[in-house]
Amino acid sequence: MAKGKIKKYRKPLNLNIGMIIFSVIFIYVVVYVIMYFQTSHIVRYEVKEGSLAVESIYRGIVLRDETVVYAQTAGYVNYYALEGERVAKNDLVYVIDESGRLADTLLSMNMGENSLSNKELTEFRSDIVNFMHEFDAKQYGTTYDFKHYLNNTVMKLYNTNMLQSIQDLNGASGVSVIHNSYAPMTGIVAYWMDGYEDLSPTAVTAAIMEGTEYEKKRILSNSLVAEGDAVYKLSTNENWSIVIPIDAVRGAELQEEGYVKVRFLKNQYESWASVELVVNEEGDTYLQLSFTNSMITFMPDRFLDIELIVEDETGLKIPVSSIVQKEFYLIPEEYVIPGGKNGGDCIRRQCYLEDGTISSEDVEIGIYYFDNETKEYYLDSSMLNAGDILYQTDGEDIFTVSRRATLIGVYNINKGYADFKQISILYLNDEYAIVKPNTKYGLSVYDYIVLNAESVRDDQFINQK
């Protein structure tokens, strides 16, 4: 029996239509994903009304009319007038004790029935509660101010007895060892110095405002002073001011308003201030806020944190990323024809016929802005060329296109393509801008604009997402 050859059976090609469709869809998805990540995407943004809160918290330096009074005699100073209270001219403010015995005498005295009244005790408790409520650990120095205030309050207990002790000491020695010092003028008394008593608004600098080297020197009762040392100062005028650093543009806006409402963060007190822009020798801009009342309330302070109470800027709120600049040709008003053949604005431009004859043609153009001061239109530079000659509609004068200017705007995509629209910015921060609504060539609420202006070009058709 002959051996036969065994041949391998080949299965016929059996195409599965489902697999083919799946493969085609899979390839399409892969290609689409690759193209998606390789293409820049244009995202639209709907324009809405909104506002931006203007930064209004500032730290300022307090300036007053301050007169420093110096000791006429060396010795131990003991204050009679209370700090923060008004003294009249020739009122007793302090005494100088050459011997140093007055303080010991006062400490050993029997205060008797001399004590605070119920009203004074109520005020005393209220001051402590207010200090606890307003205390900020970052400004621990205020603790010493409050301690000094309490010392002044306690001084009320023995001020009356001080004068009797002075007479007894002078009488016992037969020699005048204690000298009275009287106020040279009317004013509010303060027993601290910081070197800024004569500071002017134009002398304020960034280094002063930082306060890193600021030192407040207090003069305490029974301190030893030399002849010619500063012993106290008088604030002689109820008019005072606060100087704050500010952006030049913002400062000019506030100065134009004339007055601004100020809230003092220390006690939430509110007052109106007149406004004046100040530039120091270094070219830095400051705002001087002047007041005519409440100087005595802030007598212990050289620096204050304040809030300017101003209205928020309102208008159309758009992202800063949407803003772009574009260049245009400037065309005088008399060379623009309103309402051309198709209802749009036109210009009449010089042209040449096939035989070389000079003629003219009406060209429909897009107007992007009109300057009321210069009486000039801003026309798209893509429609004109430098050197083009334009004709007046009712005269023989001609105009040669040459001058350019830049407008700030956004790309409007309501019609499906990138159409530049001029904007007028009212206020701007790092993320958003507030622009004037309903301008003739600008934006309106609910318009759609390109979120990222760098992702499009002029007149580009938009596949909106």
Side-chain angles (χ1 to χ4, degrees), residues 95-109:
V95 296
I96 289 289
D97 174 19
E98 293 183 5
S99 66
R101 295 167 53 195
L102 177 60
D104 294 335
T105 302
L106 289 173
L107 290 174
S108 62
M109 285 175 56

Side-chain angles (χ1 to χ4, degrees), residues 200-402:
S200 66
T202 55
V204 176
T205 63
I208 291 176
M209 293 303 302
E210 288 176 2
T212 53
E213 299 182 0
Y214 178 72
E215 182 179 1
K216 189 176 185 178
K217 181 182 179 182
R218 286 204 167 275
I219 306 134
L220 304 177
S221 282
N222 203 36
S223 298
L224 181 62
V225 297
E227 181 179 349
D229 285 352
V231 285
Y232 72 96
K233 61 183 176 182
L234 289 170
S235 292
T236 57
N237 197 326
E238 186 67 17
N239 296 331
W240 62 293
S241 64
I242 299 176
V243 176
I244 61 173
I246 201 165
D247 174 75
V249 176
R250 183 61 179 160
E253 292 174 352
L254 292 172
Q255 181 174 244
E256 187 175 352
E257 294 178 9
Y259 289 86
V260 64
K261 197 173 186 180
V262 177
R263 178 183 292 119
F264 299 91
L265 302 189
K266 177 180 179 180
N267 57 5
Q268 300 302 308
Y269 174 79
E270 295 180 0
S271 181
W272 285 91
S274 61
V275 179
E276 182 179 356
L277 202 61
V278 176
V279 180
N280 66 8
E281 295 180 355
E282 299 174 357
D284 298 326
T285 306
Y286 294 88
L287 199 67
Q288 183 178 12
L289 306 169
S290 299
F291 305 87
T292 58
N293 55 45
S294 306
M295 183 272 292
I296 190 172
T297 303
F298 304 102
M299 187 67 192
D301 304 295
R302 180 62 72 187
F303 294 93
L304 284 173
D305 293 321
I306 63 171
E307 178 184 4
L308 303 185
I309 305 175
V310 294
E311 294 183 358
D312 296 343
E313 297 287 0
T314 59
L316 302 181
K317 187 176 182 179
I318 63 172
V320 171
S321 60
S322 298
I323 299 175
V324 67
Q325 293 187 5
K326 185 179 177 182
E327 200 171 52
F328 297 87
Y329 281 115
L330 298 179
I331 307 299
E333 180 182 18
E334 54 270 24
Y335 291 92
V336 174
I337 308 169
K341 295 179 180 179
N342 299 321
D345 299 317
C346 298
I347 55 172
R348 185 157 295 162
R349 181 170 59 184
Q350 184 184 90
C351 65
Y352 292 90
L353 302 178
E354 293 182 358
D355 59 0
T357 304
I358 296 177
S359 183
S360 64
E361 60 178 351
D362 289 349
V363 180
E364 190 168 336
I365 44 88
I367 295 176
Y368 291 86
Y369 181 66
F370 177 71
D371 192 326
N372 285 306
E373 294 184 2
T374 63
K375 303 299 181 183
E376 292 176 311
Y377 284 100
Y378 284 66
L379 303 187
D380 193 347
S381 58
S382 65
M383 303 296 297
L384 295 169
N385 295 305
D388 283 351
I389 295 176
L390 307 182
Y391 295 113
Q392 280 188 352
T393 56
D394 55 356
E396 297 181 354
D397 292 341
I398 62 174
F399 175 79
T400 303
V401 177
S402 61

Side-chain angles (χ1 to χ4, degrees), residues 26-41:
F26 178 77
I27 294 172
Y28 172 80
V29 170
V30 171
V31 172
Y32 184 84
V33 170
I34 293 173
M35 292 178 62
Y36 180 86
F37 285 105
Q38 290 182 344
T39 322
S40 61
H41 304 285

